[in-house]
């Protein structure tokens, strides 16, 4: 059981003044939105730089359990709370704004600040739900990275907390703000390819290699509060390939590429199907391969699953060289979108397609800007909590059957979209519920 006192002590970072009043429930920020970043690693630093470059608000606080180190996705990148705060303060100084961004090791101290209107949660997946629930209860609006949840059963709690607190939540599914993906998904929804019959989605292969069976624990680096990094996850010996960036290849913290890339490609599938809430009638895992037992990376390396949706639409999701791609096949042709742009069976189907450059900014920036705009207007953003939940839920349901593949082989199971559970498949249903340690359970 983790020591709560030790966790709190680790978080006793620089105390910050809380002079400015925070937003009341449902209130609109009068001036610039004051933002706190939780998780300043690979994606967190990317989003932070975009907020600063587009001057979307004032970043008044950052938090990371890593003080600052290399060892992220790109080995030489130096990320963590200290480089993040230094970056914000340098940029603010350059723009003539007050340079008072504070760095915290415990996100709860950041949430205590009354002058933080909104938080951007960019931690590993196993932290998304606990942080979102506490942020919503603290009256903060939330930009939560995809996949919205780490386990299926968390999503409904996240919806309840956000709606109960009248909070704004944007899921980090930035393709929803990509004008090209919007064009394709809306065109499919509007019947441009006739009756939709089949959607084929892609998820990338693993892009990192972890240690095989017999791997040895490593000493925890000075900069990292490993216990706080683990948080609700099971106690495990430290290895550098467990944590920064590589957490996505371990089922204790993530769902592998099915939830990593699948949260994008399957989200677009749902969008084109016109299905912002709800899910399939049936899920079937057709193939899954894993590294040898005892490897540190234990998520599936290659997968193929399919689902049947109301109206007879079929979704097939498979590993491939394209990291994110969604192809819609209809009675009158096909349309495809993804990281590389849009293509179609007939150029006429692309009439009116906006160019990526036309937007002037990348989808991440547009997505963050949409969030900030909604913090002000109190309108739902383009990827609200229910949308993030439905996409993550599909990935979690598929992953449950994928994880059982090694012992059970190909499995088809009926899915009850209302109950958010398999019908009569206890082993798969157990995998939808997260295993969490106190005090986070
Ligand atoms: N939208 C996208 O296209 C996109 C792209 C990449 C990553 N992501 C998502 O962003 C999230 C983070 O991924 P990443 O690649 O940046 O991982 P990362 O490991 O590079 O960064 C995560 C950071 O969170 C920190 N952290 C862990 N526990 C914490 C805690 N309790 N409090 C504060 N900080 C904590 C880590 O120390 C690390 O610095 C994931 O959910 C991932 O799916 C989204």
């Amino acid at each position: 059981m983790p020591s709560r006192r030790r966790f709190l002590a680790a978080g006793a970072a620089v105390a910050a003044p809380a002079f400015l009043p925070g937003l009341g429930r449902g209130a609109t920020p009068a001036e610039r939105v004051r933002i706190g970043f939780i998780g300043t690693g690979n994606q967190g630093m990317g989003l932070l730089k975009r907020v600063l470059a587009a001057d979307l608000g004032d970043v008044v606080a950052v938090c990371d359990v890593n003080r600052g180190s290399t060892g992220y996705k790109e080995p030489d990148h130096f990320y963590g709370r200290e480089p993040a705060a230094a970056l914000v303060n340098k940029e603010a100084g350059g723009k003539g704004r007050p340079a008072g961004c504070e760095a915290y090791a415990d996100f709860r101290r950041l949430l205590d600040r009354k002058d933080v209107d909104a938080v951007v949660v960019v931690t590993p997946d196993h932290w998304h739900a606990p942080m979102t629930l506490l942020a919503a209860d603290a009256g903060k609006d939330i930009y939560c990275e995809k996949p919205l949840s780490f386990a299926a059963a968390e999503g409904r709690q996240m919806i309840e907390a956000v709606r109960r607190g009248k909070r704004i939540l944007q899921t980090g599914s930035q393709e929803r703000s990509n004008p090209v993906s919007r064009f394709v998904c809306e065109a499919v929804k509007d019947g441009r390819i006739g009756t939709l019959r089949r959607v084929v989605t892609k998820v990338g292969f693993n892009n990192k290699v972890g240690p095989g069976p017999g791997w040895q624990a490593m000493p925890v680096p000075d900069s990292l509060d490993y216990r706080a990094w683990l948080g609700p996850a099971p106690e495990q010996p430290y290895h550098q390939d467990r944590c920064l960036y590589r957490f996505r290849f371990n089922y204790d913290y993530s769902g592998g590429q099915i939830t990593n890339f699948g949260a994008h490609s399957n989200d677009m599938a749902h969008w084109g199907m016109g299905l912002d809430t709800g899910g399939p009638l049936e899920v079937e895992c057709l193939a899954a391969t894993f590294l040898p037992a005892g490897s540190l990376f234990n998520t599936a390396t290659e997968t193929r699953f399919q689902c049947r949706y109301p109206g007879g639409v079929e979704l097939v999701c498979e590993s491939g060289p394209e990291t994110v791609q969604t192809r819609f096949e209809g009675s009158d042709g096909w349309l495809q979108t993804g990281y590389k742009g849009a293509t179609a069976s007939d150029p006429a189907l692309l009439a009116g397609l906006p160019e990526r450059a036309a937007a002037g900014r990348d989808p991440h920036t547009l997505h963050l800007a949409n969030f900030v705009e909604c913090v002000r207007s109190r309108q739902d953003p383009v990827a609200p909590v229910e949308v993030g939940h439905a996409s993550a839920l599909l990935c979690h349901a598929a992953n449950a059957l994928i994880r059982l593949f090694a012992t059970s082989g190909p499995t088809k199971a009926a899915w009850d979209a209302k109950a958010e559970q398999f019908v009569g498949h206890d082993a798969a249903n157990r995998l939808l519920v997260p295993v969490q340690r106190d005090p986070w359970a």
Side-chain angles (χ1 to χ4, degrees):
M1 182 145 131
S3 154
R4 188 178 162 83
R5 193 184 309 146
R6 198 171 143 198
F7 188 85
L8 287 169
V14 200
F19 303 135
L20 300 171
L23 282 181
R25 295 192 174 216
T28 308
E31 299 289 336
R32 289 163 63 78
V33 173
R34 293 158 302 183
I35 303 169
F37 265 76
I38 307 178
T40 51
N42 161 53
Q43 176 74 351
M45 280 298 239
L47 294 182
L48 178 60
K49 286 175 187 166
R50 287 169 167 102
V51 166
L52 297 174
D55 205 17
L56 295 176
D58 288 332
V59 180
V60 295
V62 293
C63 167
D64 201 298
V65 293
N66 185 15
R67 195 172 59 239
S69 75
T70 53
Y72 282 88
K73 182 182 180 191
E74 309 302 337
D76 57 330
H77 286 177
F78 188 76
Y79 294 150
R81 65 181 179 272
E82 288 188 354
L87 177 77
V88 176
N89 287 329
K90 183 166 162 255
E91 290 272 322
K95 290 193 169 104
R97 300 195 190 285
C101 176
E102 300 282 355
Y104 295 86
D106 186 335
F107 72 97
R108 291 168 295 186
R109 300 294 76 79
L110 186 152
L111 295 181
D112 286 342
R113 286 202 29 183
K114 299 284 179 273
D115 64 332
V116 172
D117 303 315
V119 292
V120 183
V121 175
V122 208
T123 51
D125 311 356
H126 67 291
W127 267 116
H128 290 184
M131 288 175 172
T132 295
L133 297 184
L134 289 174
D137 284 351
K140 313 298 181 199
D141 295 321
I142 304 146
Y143 183 109
C144 180
E145 260 308 341
K146 49 52 56 178
L148 184 75
S149 55
F150 159 65
E154 294 172 335
R156 193 51 55 193
Q157 286 179 289
M158 295 168 88
I159 292 174
E160 278 160 19
V162 166
R163 294 303 174 195
R164 183 178 62 233
K166 297 191 169 33
R167 295 295 94 202
I168 301 299
L169 186 143
Q170 173 89 299
T171 312
S173 302
Q174 70 275 357
E175 287 302 310
R176 292 253 172 184
S177 290
N178 180 346
V180 173
S181 294
R182 172 165 295 276
F183 170 86
V184 167
C185 295
E186 295 291 347
V188 171
K189 221 162 82 174
D190 292 348
R192 196 179 278 215
I193 55 169
T195 306
L196 181 63
R197 292 188 171 145
R198 190 168 182 257
V199 190
V200 182
T201 63
K202 296 281 180 192
V203 297
F205 296 121
N206 286 5
N207 57 348
K208 297 286 175 197
V209 178
W215 58 270
Q216 299 289 309
M218 299 171 82
V220 179
D222 262 7
S223 64
L224 181 70
D225 184 343
Y226 177 52
R227 181 165 282 275
W229 186 95
L230 283 174
E235 189 87 50
Q236 289 288 356
Y238 174 80
H239 190 288
Q240 64 183 19
D241 289 331
R242 183 184 290 289
C243 294
L244 307 180
Y245 187 80
R246 289 147 181 83
F247 68 85
R248 35 175 67 60
F249 307 116
N250 193 305
Y251 283 130
D252 282 348
Y253 326 109
S254 182
Q257 300 298 37
I258 288 289
T259 51
N260 187 30
F261 292 124
H264 290 303
S265 53
N266 293 315
D267 180 61
M268 289 191 279
H270 273 184
W271 189 4
M273 282 186 222
L275 194 108
D276 282 349
T277 59
L281 299 168
E282 190 178 80
V283 186
E284 181 174 12
C285 172
L286 301 166
T289 53
F290 295 88
L291 293 167
S295 300
L296 182 53
F297 290 3
N298 61 9
T299 58
T301 51
E302 264 188 68
T303 51
R304 185 175 160 86
F305 74 85
Q306 66 184 21
C307 303
R308 198 168 45 80
Y309 280 82
V313 179
E314 185 190 35
L315 180 147
V316 179
C317 176
E318 57 197 7
S319 305
E322 294 294 336
T323 50
V324 172
Q325 199 180 75
T326 306
R327 176 188 166 111
F328 299 96
E329 298 170 0
S331 54
D332 301 341
W334 57 262
L335 269 167
Q336 185 169 296
T337 187
Y339 283 177
K340 289 195 175 160
T343 45
S345 52
D346 178 343
L349 290 171
L350 294 174
L353 175 73
E355 285 188 22
R356 266 173 193 254
R361 293 194 283 189
D362 77 323
H364 288 97
T365 306
L366 291 169
H367 207 52
L368 287 159
N370 172 251
F371 170 61
V372 170
E373 202 177 291
C374 294
V375 168
R376 292 178 174 288
S377 68
R378 312 311 295 168
Q379 301 297 307
D380 261 343
V382 295
V385 62
E386 291 82 1
V387 163
H389 172 55
S391 313
L393 187 58
L394 165 61
C395 299
H396 295 318
N399 250 346
L401 299 189
I402 286 168
R403 291 176 72 172
L404 294 172
F405 187 88
T407 45
S408 314
T411 309
K412 188 195 283 190
W415 177 255
D416 180 339
K418 197 155 187 286
E420 302 187 346
Q421 290 212 329
F422 289 102
V423 182
H425 200 315
D426 293 347
N429 284 336
R430 275 195 292 279
L431 290 169
L432 302 175
V433 182
V435 177
Q436 288 174 319
R437 292 185 306 163
D438 285 335
W440 304 106

